[in-house]
Amino acid sequence: MELTIYNTLTRQKEVFVPLHAPHVGMYVCGPTVYGDPHLGHARPAITFDLLFRLLKHLGYKVRYVRNITDVGHLEHDADAGEDKIAKKARLEQLEPMEVVQHYTLRYHKAMEMLNVLPPGIEPNASGHIIEQIELVRKILDNGYAYESEGSVYFDVEKYNEKHRYGILSNRNIEELLHTTRNLDGQQEKRNPVDFALWKKAQPEHIMRWSSPWSDGFPGWHCECTAMGRKYLGDHFDIHGGGMDLVFPHHECEIAQAVASQGDEMVRYWMHNNMITVNGQKMGKSLGNFITLEEFFTGNHALLTQAYSPMAIRFFILQAHYRSTVDFSNEALAAAQKGLERLLEAYARLQKLTPSDTSSVDLAGLREKCEAAICDDLNTPVVIAHLFDAGKAVNTLYDGKGTLSAAGLEELKAVFRLFMEDILGLQTGAAASDNRDEAYKKAVDLLLSIRQQAKENKDWATSDRIRNEMAALGFKVKDTKDGFEWGL
């Protein structure tokens, strides 16, 4: 079965042919870790988790790299303003790496709850300063960058003489160059469309490193080019991210690769579309910004209830990854109900007993699902096929049809493959395991609070927790190392 994917670079669906089959190199832009993960983080994570799962199912060995941005992403735009993480650190009176660690852990926890598989390599930008300095040096040596007052900028106009800047976003850069050439206030840049490869740090800037040009920090666009090359080589198969990264981030990545090594690094560029809220782009300034934790708890003014992580995942998979997804309570509640119906059919499937003959025809289900998922990850069609099969399962469960042993085993295998292995939807056993783990952690947390109360000689709180847990059937035993509990 051929896999086709939409290549943003060529603007068409193409048959996926790896450079070095069966090995596949895939790089996905991860989060800037300065705040709690939100719905916008969930979509690219789930989209490329889906691709990762599918490639493995097709027999490929995937080296999956997803970066963590912890330096160089500035507040106002790619080249101006305060570093987002440094600003958070200043406001909360923390070290920048404390901010990075805190929100990286929260991101990982949210991804785990969404059943997003971890990448094979997850590099931090701050851990690859040497590679980024070397990238800047190569671009300078090749004549496509210039130094200005301790900073280094990419010379877009010079690059555009031999190559095309704007090839990914399909922008007319020649027109942009001519219309912005005479604007005032450009300061260090020769041209306003030039972008920073290295920025000289101002005295108040917390995060800085030594370089041949100044004490400073790399431009935001450098990290993915440098780390992609380090872990996947000069040429690799897939680079992914959200559509909001097409310009300027990924456009700059292409220019950096060509300027430093003479040709393009990436063969297929893939981008998921955006999530909107009631037709508006999600943003803090609009008051419609919802974190994943708020979805899971229901603790937000725009939410009428809590939604499970699998409901969020299913909601995102119901739409094609290149389509806009508009969030509303009604849409998410409908997704949760749809998921429940599918899970109920899957649970009923496990209880069916085979017959000698089949009166229900489910032949071709596997082929139809494979054709859909291999057609540029068409998850809505896959889900529609599973719903149709679910109706047949309900018919069988009600005793209104029969299915042979071979047919039943094939049906179970197809549901398991597409629901669990490829779509990544946790069904009864996996979901139950997660609930059990959460239950254990909640009990441990409560007993940790009791332990702290004892250390503070708050005997009333300590005794109350012990007594009320005993009334619920818990057996709590204090030990020299802390506590043990059971039922």
Side-chain angles (χ1 to χ4, degrees):
M1 176 83 55
E2 288 184 338
L3 169 63
T4 64
I5 56 178
Y6 184 87
N7 190 346
T8 310
L9 187 64
T10 60
R11 296 169 189 84
Q12 61 184 7
K13 284 197 287 189
E14 298 179 9
V15 174
F16 177 67
V17 181
L19 289 168
H20 307 290
H23 298 276
V24 172
M26 182 169 79
Y27 189 103
V28 175
C29 287
T32 302
V33 284
Y34 71 103
D36 280 327
H38 53 77
L39 198 59
H41 288 128
R43 193 168 197 197
I46 290 170
T47 296
F48 292 100
D49 179 62
L50 172 72
L51 179 59
F52 183 33
R53 290 167 178 270
L54 177 58
L55 289 170
K56 291 198 299 179
H57 165 66
L58 294 174
Y60 294 112
K61 299 179 184 298
V62 186
R63 176 170 288 177
Y64 178 16
V65 182
R66 185 185 67 206
N67 73 292
I68 294 290
T69 297
D70 60 358
V71 65
H73 199 172
L74 304 186
E75 189 72 17
H76 299 317
D77 59 41
D79 297 336
E82 191 174 4
D83 186 290
K84 292 182 176 182
I85 289 169
K87 180 179 179 180
K88 190 79 170 181
R90 176 175 56 79
L91 293 174
E92 298 189 5
Q93 297 184 321
L94 297 170
E95 283 292 324
M97 289 304 132
E98 287 184 285
V99 173
V100 170
Q101 179 73 356
H102 176 75
Y103 288 112
T104 299
L105 291 174
R106 292 180 72 80
Y107 175 76
H108 286 160
K109 183 60 180 176
M111 294 305 103
E112 181 184 349
M113 293 177 73
L114 291 168
N115 200 26
V116 170
L117 300 175
I121 303 173
E122 191 174 55
N124 286 50
S126 65
H128 296 77
I129 301 298
I130 293 173
E131 289 83 358
Q132 293 177 79
I133 289 174
E134 183 59 26
L135 171 67
V136 177
R137 196 196 307 272
K138 285 183 179 179
I139 296 173
L140 274 167
D141 290 346
N142 290 342
Y144 291 111
Y146 58 90
E147 184 181 352
S148 176
E149 300 180 27
S151 294
V152 181
Y153 292 95
F154 191 94
D155 192 333
V156 171
E157 188 169 24
K158 179 73 176 292
Y159 175 84
N160 212 50
E161 290 173 0
K162 292 185 179 180
H163 309 284
R164 184 189 169 194
Y165 183 82
I167 190 171
L168 185 66
S169 59
N170 201 28
R171 297 198 177 204
N172 188 334
I173 300 302
E174 289 87 353
E175 181 180 336
L176 184 59
L177 284 164
H178 286 95
T179 56
T180 58
R181 183 182 303 278
N182 297 320
L183 290 178
D184 294 328
Q186 299 305 324
Q187 300 173 340
E188 301 172 357
K189 296 183 184 182
R190 292 178 184 172
N191 198 294
V193 296
D194 295 347
F195 57 90
L197 299 172
W198 184 266
K199 288 285 287 182
K200 179 181 180 180
Q202 298 303 310
E204 68 276 7
H205 199 93
I206 307 173
M207 305 171 76
R208 59 175 67 216
W209 291 265
S210 296
S211 80
W213 314 287
S214 65
D215 278 1
F217 54 93
W220 172 39
H221 310 306
C222 287
E223 62 184 81
C224 294
T225 306
M227 294 189 292
R229 177 178 289 151
K230 178 178 178 68
Y231 295 109
L232 299 174
D234 290 347
H235 303 94
F236 58 88
D237 298 294
I238 299 169
H239 195 321
M243 195 170 286
D244 56 328
L245 297 178
V246 171
F247 188 90
H249 189 49
H250 289 166
E251 196 73 75
C252 294
E253 281 195 56
I254 290 177
Q256 289 169 163
V258 173
S260 61
Q261 68 182 41
D263 60 357
E264 293 182 23
M265 185 183 296
V266 179
R267 188 167 184 182
Y268 301 92
W269 288 87
M270 294 182 68
H271 295 89
N272 62 272
N273 214 321
M274 299 294 98
I275 291 180
T276 57
V277 179
N278 295 322
Q280 290 183 306
K281 182 179 178 181
M282 182 181 290
K284 291 182 180 179
S285 62
L286 297 173
N288 61 5
F289 182 86
I290 308 174
T291 69
L292 289 173
E293 184 176 359
E294 287 169 336
F295 275 107
F296 301 155
T297 63
N299 187 25
H300 191 280
L302 292 177
L303 300 175
T304 58
Q305 65 180 86
Y307 294 98
S308 70
M310 286 304 98
I312 298 293
R313 186 176 180 108
F314 186 71
F315 172 68
I316 289 172
L317 291 172
Q318 275 188 312
H320 191 274
Y321 77 93
R322 288 192 288 113
S323 301
T324 302
V325 172
D326 188 50
F327 161 77
S328 66
N329 266 299
E330 293 76 17
L332 195 46
Q336 184 150 305
K337 289 180 181 177
L339 175 62
E340 289 168 358
R341 290 200 305 273
L342 198 57
L343 291 176
E344 182 181 28
Y346 188 70
R348 287 179 168 183
L349 175 60
Q350 312 312 312
K351 300 175 184 178
L352 295 180
T353 55
S355 300
D356 294 333
T357 59
S358 296
S359 63
V360 174
D361 183 13
L362 289 168
L365 176 62
R366 180 187 293 268
E367 291 75 16
K368 287 189 290 186
C369 289
E370 283 184 341
I373 201 66
C374 287
D375 181 17
D376 194 28
L377 312 183
N378 200 334
T379 54
V381 173
V382 174
I383 290 170
H385 289 321
L386 292 175
F387 268 119
D388 286 342
K391 293 176 184 177
V393 168
N394 290 332
T395 297
L396 293 166
Y397 187 81
D398 292 338
K400 298 177 181 178
T402 59
L403 193 62
S404 68
L408 183 57
E409 286 307 307
E410 169 66 1
L411 185 56
K412 287 180 179 179
V414 171
F415 262 84
R416 183 169 57 252
L417 170 63
F418 285 95
M419 283 190 65
E420 296 185 12
D421 298 345
I422 296 179
L423 296 183
L425 295 169
Q426 291 176 324
T427 57
S432 177
D433 289 345
N434 267 6
R435 284 194 296 270
D436 288 346
E437 184 64 24
Y439 170 77
K440 292 174 184 176
K441 288 180 178 179
V443 175
D444 286 342
L445 175 61
L446 185 59
L447 290 177
S448 295
I449 294 172
R450 176 177 176 266
Q451 188 75 14
Q452 188 65 50
K454 287 177 62 182
E455 291 173 5
N456 294 336
K457 301 189 185 320
D458 182 0
W459 310 117
T461 299
S462 172
D463 290 346
R464 180 184 176 190
I465 293 174
R466 181 197 61 204
N467 294 338
E468 293 194 11
M469 290 189 70
L472 292 170
F474 287 90
K475 298 176 182 177
V476 179
K477 179 182 179 181
D478 293 316
T479 68
K480 63 177 182 179
D481 297 320
F483 55 81
E484 294 175 354
W485 65 271
L487 288 170

